[in-house]
Amino acid sequence: MAEKKEKQHVERWHSMDARDIIKVLKTDREKGLENSEVNKRLEKYGRNEIPKAKRRSAWKRLLMQFHNVLIYVLLAAAIITALMEHWIDTWVILGVVVVNALIGFIQEGKAEKAIESIREMLSLEAVAIRDGDKKTIDAEELVPGDIVILKSGDKIPADIRLIESKDLRVEESPLTGESTSVDKSVESVEEDAVVGDQSSMAFSGTVVTYGKATGVVVNTGSQTEIGKIKEMMEEVEEITTPLLQKIEKFGKWLSLAILVVTATFFLFGYLFRDYTLVELFMIAISLIVASIPEGLPAIMTITLAIGVRRMASRNSIIRRLPSVETLGSVTVICSDKTGTLTRNEMTAKTILTADNEYQVEGTGYKPEGNILKDDQKIEPKDDKVLWQMLQAIRVCNNSEINENDEGKWELTGTPTEGALLTLSYKAGLRDFKPERIDHIPFESYHKYMATLNKVDDEVLIFITGAPERVMEMCDKQYTSEGDKKLDKKYWEKKMEEVAAKGQRLLGVAFRKADKKRSEIERDDLEKNKTFLGVIGIIDPPRENIIESIKECKEAGIAVKMITGDHAITAKAIGKEIGIGDGEKVITGKELEAKSDKELKKIVEEYDVYARTSPEHKLRLVKALQENGQLCAMTGDGVNDAPALKKANIGIAMGIKGTEVSKDASEMVLADDNFATIVNAVEEGRTVYDNLRKTLLFLLPTNGAEALVLMTAVFLGMVMPITPLQILWVNMVTAVTLALALAFEPMEENVMELPPRKPDAPILGKLGVWRIVFVSFLVGGLTFAIFNYMQSLGADQATSRTVAVNTLVSGQLFYLFNCRKIQLPSLGKGFFNNKNAFIAVAVLIILQLLFSYTPFMNDIFDTINIRAAYWLPPLLAGLAVFFIVELEKFIVVKVMKKKV
């Protein structure tokens, strides 16, 4: 890690006058810093790089994968089976442990790349003025006080305060989430302005898209905004998933219970029964082996992996297996606006002229859709004012839209111009390409663009830009009756109405020019123009987004919109898609003034957050978690990475997301669509249900085996089942029957239920009751049938073979009980999981091999049994199925009465 250097100036650079900054940093605007001074400052502040974080060695990361109680239990099982020289089971158990460890090791390695990815975003070179000369230098050598020159296409090398600027626009979306390039200027802004509003600053890692500028470096390395994000990511502790928390708790409880019960029966046998120490030791091993669900981690991993595969088919890419289940627990989804809730394609929706108001159909850059007046389709050519206005936006435009090979329309140019060009195409002006004689490009200072065009026999000046700026040039407005005096009050009222819908406004004007005119000057444009109207554009909501948000609410999941966009836009979009009430919105500036305690109340009251910074997003996630919420956070930029890492599940965008955001997240949306998150929640809930079903299925097997052994010890009898036979039952039921439950499809009402509480136990009282009930039922029947066979005079090997088959038969029929936890198993959906029937067939074949093949007889001490001896296991299995179905019916009825 780099040596820690002195902290740089902590100033509100954006609010200071440029001349004062030059003085504070003791530099020269024309000559820059002297080389000797640069060396001193490099020594003082360090190189302009983000220090590498201390990383654990690969060996330590690998060893930490084994630091889990359940893994310890599995390793104990492996040691026991090794002591028993049952090497196949030993290697199978160790294989499960190693596979789980490797999966965790690989995924953790990818997650640690998130911090390092930020380093790659920094500029490699910079143009600086030193000793009066312009030099291209390594960006890592920049120091506070360096004078840097920026031009279009440059990646900004440090945090820079602008001192000269000409039409500078910067793409800041990775840092702020702003959907379009932002205008920059040298004028200072308010001291408490958030990053997205600091127009006098150019930040490290962002890109110049237009214009040029000169600025002074104010912060380098870890003191830059992007450096602070990296530090925030290092400070954020990763949240363990609810599943891992519960399994860890369950593993500790199970380990303790196994040790206590085994020790108790060891002492009981030693003090009150005539077993030898060798026999007692073998009984203790049998009891431990019987109590450990060896197949559980493997089945859990497979169930999660199947969930990952299902999600991938629905455009959700899971990076960490346990995160599949986390989605099913989510109580609140915090979503970015641009590109997730909206299309990230600016679209013209409203046209205002002096006579009429029009609506525009269609979304994005696909030039399809009608222009409507009072909800009726109109022909644009029939309205001369509208037609003139549409011609103006067609020619006063430097962008292009084209259809690619996949049939998708793509924009080359700025989003605003793209929206206007698409509107003109919708009106039938695609081939309208009059000669352009001259033009004045858009500049942020002047806030307009103008062109001089030859249209038919006339020469016309067209102007587009900020409505208030364009109106300043006009003294008339164009109407169906010709030119009339400009009615500013009318336009202010109409623009206020459209702006309230969250639409950005663009003004359009024109004027006839002399036919011999060959150029235009800015001075010529300041007066005597005719105002044509205003166009409202917006980044529209995605298709089906309203239904997806409604589905979330019905499932008890709150949806919050956290965006870098302006409050009025955020509020309007929120109201349209069903987030918030269309009135309440809180900005990043307001959040900064709130304490953490106040924030906990705010996150419960507000659903829409505007002009937010990385720190705000992180604080909001923390506040939600402190309120007991399980939080999913979406994001695509570097600015989102700390919040993505802190959230219970971070969701990055696959298309427009940065590598930093992807590496910090647990899930990536392949289509950047909010609706995909809802699909993933459905799958997450299904996975959790299937994991519960697996536990409810596996644990009674262990419970029944343990009860059979404990009853035998208590009665001083011979063991009805041997340790090797116990391992056989555990292995075949886990590999076949339990695995079938991983493929169970989603139940119909999965999205009609509220999210389970994060602290709710994985099984609950009902689950514990079912496990105990079935353990006694299957164990009791197994013990009873063993004694029945003994009473018939059968030898020990025959009685044990029938007892094992009874235990397996009970589990086979109980599988169908577990396919639905509370609902009746027979009826609708009984045949919708073919894997269950395949598993049953495989198990039957395995049991036949277990009972009749000589090598199996030798290994497991079993014997060929008569066909009649299959009847008791079959009847026992049927009894288990119908008794558990009756228990379900009674329990559900009792639960309903309590409600």
Side-chain angles (χ1 to χ4, degrees), residues 18 29 148 150 161-170 182-187 199-202 208 210-215 443-446:
R29 188 172 187 150
V148 174
L150 303 172
R161 173 60 164 89
L162 301 175
I163 54 178
E164 289 180 18
S165 174
K166 182 171 175 57
D167 307 328
L168 188 70
R169 289 191 209 169
V170 178
V182 293
D183 296 327
K184 296 291 184 176
S185 66
V186 299
E187 284 79 22
S199 57
S200 58
M201 296 288 297
V208 178
Y210 191 84
K212 57 184 180 179
T214 303
E443 290 185 6
S444 55
Y445 178 77
H446 294 285

Side-chain angles (χ1 to χ4, degrees), residues 73-84:
V73 173
L74 274 176
L75 290 172
I79 292 167
I80 292 165
T81 53
L83 290 171
M84 293 165 60

Side-chain angles (χ1 to χ4, degrees), residues 767-814:
V768 172
W769 155 253
R770 178 75 53 79
I771 289 166
V772 172
F773 177 75
V774 176
S775 295
F776 274 96
L777 178 61
V778 176
L781 287 168
T782 302
F783 191 80
I785 286 173
F786 175 80
N787 284 321
Y788 171 70
M789 294 301 298
Q790 292 274 279
S791 71
L792 292 177
D795 59 32
Q796 203 171 90
T798 302
S799 299
R800 281 176 170 168
T801 303
V802 175
V804 171
N805 286 333
T806 301
L807 190 58
V808 171
S809 178
Q811 286 300 105
L812 186 153
F813 281 92
Y814 178 54

Side-chain angles (χ1 to χ4, degrees), residues 693-748:
K693 290 171 185 176
T694 301
L695 283 172
L696 287 174
F697 174 76
L698 279 177
L699 294 181
T701 304
N702 302 103
E705 292 164 349
L707 282 169
V708 168
L709 295 175
M710 288 189 290
T711 304
V713 171
F714 188 73
L715 297 176
M717 288 174 51
V718 67
M719 293 295 105
I721 317 175
T722 68
L724 283 175
Q725 290 168 347
I726 288 168
L727 277 168
W728 167 261
V729 174
N730 286 358
M731 187 173 71
V732 296
T733 54
V735 168
T736 58
L737 300 181
L739 186 57
L741 291 171
F743 292 92
E744 277 296 306
M746 181 174 65
E747 293 189 18
E748 288 181 10

